[in-house]
Amino acid sequence: MKQLHRPEMFCWSAFDETRNVDFHSVLWVHEDGNVLVDPLPLSDHDRRHLDTLGGAKTIVITNSDHTRDSERIAEAFGARLFGPRTETKALPEQCEPLGDGDEPVRGLRVLELHGSKTPGELALLVEATTLITGDLIRAHSGGTLHLLPDAKLDDKTKAAESVHRLAQMTDIEAVLVGDGWPVFRSGHALLGELDRRLSQP
Amino acid sequence: MKQLHRPEMFCWSAFDETRNVDFHSVLWVHEDGNVLVDPLPLSDHDRRHLDTLGGAKTIVITNSDHTRDSERIAEAFGARLFGPRTETKALPEQCEPLGDGDEPVRGLRVLELHGSKTPGELALLVEATTLITGDLIRAHSGGTLHLLPDAKLDDKTKAAESVHRLAQMTDIEAVLVGDGWPVFRSGHALLGELDRRLSQP
């Protein structure tokens, strides 16, 4: 796994040939038990790395299109699975529901987004400074945040309102997107740029 | 291939299990013929992508440890190979020498670095704003530039002087490292941070 911007945060990735971007999964090494977000299948190497870092106790799925290898990894590590409360029917049966304001792990705040391709996509805010997004906010070109393409959005106005809300969170430094290039600095400024682009007529 | 911060710049990557970082190669789509830097082996998908973007006319090897798949790719595309003038003995025979101030392609300026693990490592500056580095400057954690570990450096004082020179180039926005996380914005500021860390006693 690759270290991210904090010594206790890591990711592993897979290149997607259809979109020409990397997909990412996040590991947060946490003293109450490690957290995984949207885990892709692990290579043998990354599985061993995760073992040495303490395995996983909590897995959060941001949306029902990002279940990926969650069930298998949850079983292997005896981890609890969580996912959006409004998408439970499309999630693994044992998935526990999360909604806006929940804090399944100390320091991990759940934010509900709206208008995306699934009804209840979540974003996660780590200690107010690192935002983890699933599908709605992405970065297919480096150093710029993008919204999911219009054709995939359920409601662009609601999606833009969700971005606007995130853009008010002035402490955000990093934006770890599920698809594309992560942002490690000036996350608040880049969310502001996206917010302004979306509010232009 | 993944798009970088400019619509005509791309990269492809390979995860290195020994260092837990991605290695990267850069493509610059150029109207005088495309440029590749330190090309890793191409997957069939990326080879087709490169074909659709016009193939390659120029390949630059930043240091003799980054020859990678350059010879095979040069042969496949009929590209010219370039590398550091002081490392010609360790480079493919047909490699043409480059030194400080050379401009093998319009808009691509060569900078010689010193003190690295090979004697004449090059950095490349694209249109004054994008710096491409090979081994000396890297980013194993996101959003921070690092120097090659001391044990690998030939001369840390000279390496620090090379970083100091780059840190004076105020137009640099992006720093595309060969190893680790690319920087797409505020490259000048991050080079300045590295420069200050290295100048501390």
Side-chain angles (χ1 to χ4, degrees):
Chain A
M1 283 178 287
K2 299 172 280 190
Q3 194 192 310
L4 293 165
H5 58 304
R6 293 166 52 143
E8 77 285 15
M9 293 192 84
F10 297 83
C11 84
W12 68 105
S13 314
F15 178 66
D16 180 69
E17 295 189 347
T18 308
R19 296 167 189 79
N20 281 308
V21 299
D22 281 338
F23 292 162
H24 305 285
S25 304
V26 173
L27 160 66
W28 183 21
V29 176
H30 194 294
E31 57 184 26
D32 297 341
N34 295 346
V35 180
L36 303 180
V37 181
D38 294 347
L40 293 155
L42 286 154
S43 69
D44 291 344
H45 169 84
D46 284 336
R47 164 70 200 245
R48 285 191 298 272
H49 195 174
L50 179 56
D51 279 334
T52 66
L53 292 167
K57 188 173 174 187
T58 302
I59 296 174
V60 182
I61 301 168
T62 61
N63 72 82
S64 50
D65 289 344
H66 274 204
T67 299
R68 297 172 170 175
D69 214 28
S70 291
E71 282 190 87
R72 190 193 314 251
I73 294 171
E75 193 181 337
F77 289 100
R80 287 171 74 180
L81 267 182
F82 296 86
R85 64 181 175 85
T86 58
E87 299 183 23
T88 48
K89 284 184 184 163
L91 289 167
E93 201 178 357
Q94 72 272 38
C95 224
E96 300 174 51
L98 290 178
D100 207 80
D102 285 345
E103 195 171 314
V105 174
R106 192 166 42 93
L108 188 75
R109 180 179 159 202
V110 172
L111 305 164
E112 274 185 351
L113 308 177
H114 301 288
S116 190
K117 63 184 164 59
T118 59
E121 180 172 331
L122 307 177
L124 302 168
L125 190 59
V126 174
E127 295 177 346
T129 53
T130 296
L131 181 71
I132 303 171
T133 68
D135 268 323
L136 184 66
I137 296 175
R138 52 217 288 118
H140 59 261
S141 62
T144 306
L145 295 172
H146 305 266
L147 203 63
L148 198 67
D150 288 5
K152 292 205 166 186
L153 292 174
D154 177 60
D155 184 326
K156 191 172 182 180
T157 302
K158 286 185 180 171
E161 286 168 0
S162 290
V163 169
H164 184 70
R165 177 189 178 206
L166 297 174
Q168 310 312 306
M169 299 177 179
T170 53
D171 290 336
I172 293 176
E173 292 164 9
V175 182
L176 307 179
V177 296
D179 299 2
W181 294 106
V183 169
F184 297 115
R185 298 216 194 183
S186 305
H188 170 62
L190 269 66
L191 285 166
E193 287 179 11
L194 176 60
D195 181 34
R196 285 190 292 281
R197 288 204 308 279
L198 292 173
S199 65
Q200 283 166 1
Chain B
M1 283 179 286
K2 299 172 281 191
Q3 192 191 311
L4 293 166
H5 57 305
R6 294 164 52 142
E8 79 284 16
M9 294 191 85
F10 298 82
C11 85
W12 68 106
S13 314
F15 177 66
D16 179 70
E17 295 189 348
T18 307
R19 296 167 191 78
N20 282 308
V21 299
D22 281 338
F23 291 162
H24 305 286
S25 303
V26 173
L27 160 65
W28 183 20
V29 175
H30 194 293
E31 58 184 23
D32 297 342
N34 295 347
V35 180
L36 304 180
V37 181
D38 294 347
L40 293 155
L42 287 154
S43 68
D44 291 345
H45 169 84
D46 285 335
R47 164 68 199 247
R48 287 191 296 272
H49 195 173
L50 180 56
D51 279 334
T52 64
L53 292 167
K57 188 174 175 187
T58 301
I59 296 175
V60 182
I61 301 169
T62 61
N63 73 82
S64 50
D65 289 344
H66 275 204
T67 300
R68 297 172 169 176
D69 215 29
S70 292
E71 282 189 89
R72 190 194 314 252
I73 294 171
E75 193 180 338
F77 288 101
R80 287 170 75 182
L81 267 182
F82 296 86
R85 66 182 173 84
T86 59
E87 300 183 21
T88 47
K89 285 183 183 163
L91 290 166
E93 199 178 0
Q94 72 273 37
C95 222
E96 300 174 52
L98 290 178
D100 206 81
D102 285 345
E103 193 171 317
V105 174
R106 190 165 43 91
L108 188 75
R109 180 179 159 204
V110 173
L111 305 165
E112 275 184 352
L113 308 177
H114 302 288
S116 190
K117 63 183 164 60
T118 60
E121 180 173 331
L122 307 177
L124 302 169
L125 190 58
V126 174
E127 294 178 346
T129 54
T130 295
L131 182 70
I132 302 172
T133 67
D135 269 323
L136 185 65
I137 296 174
R138 53 217 288 116
H140 60 262
S141 62
T144 306
L145 294 172
H146 305 266
L147 203 64
L148 197 67
D150 288 6
K152 291 206 167 184
L153 292 174
D154 178 59
D155 185 324
K156 192 172 182 182
T157 303
K158 286 185 181 170
E161 287 168 1
S162 289
V163 169
H164 184 71
R165 178 188 178 207
L166 298 174
Q168 310 312 306
M169 299 179 179
T170 54
D171 291 336
I172 293 175
E173 293 164 8
V175 182
L176 307 179
V177 295
D179 299 1
W181 293 107
V183 168
F184 297 117
R185 299 217 192 182
S186 306
H188 170 63
L190 268 66
L191 285 165
E193 287 180 10
L194 176 60
D195 181 33
R196 285 190 292 280
R197 286 203 308 277
L198 292 173
S199 65
Q200 283 165 0

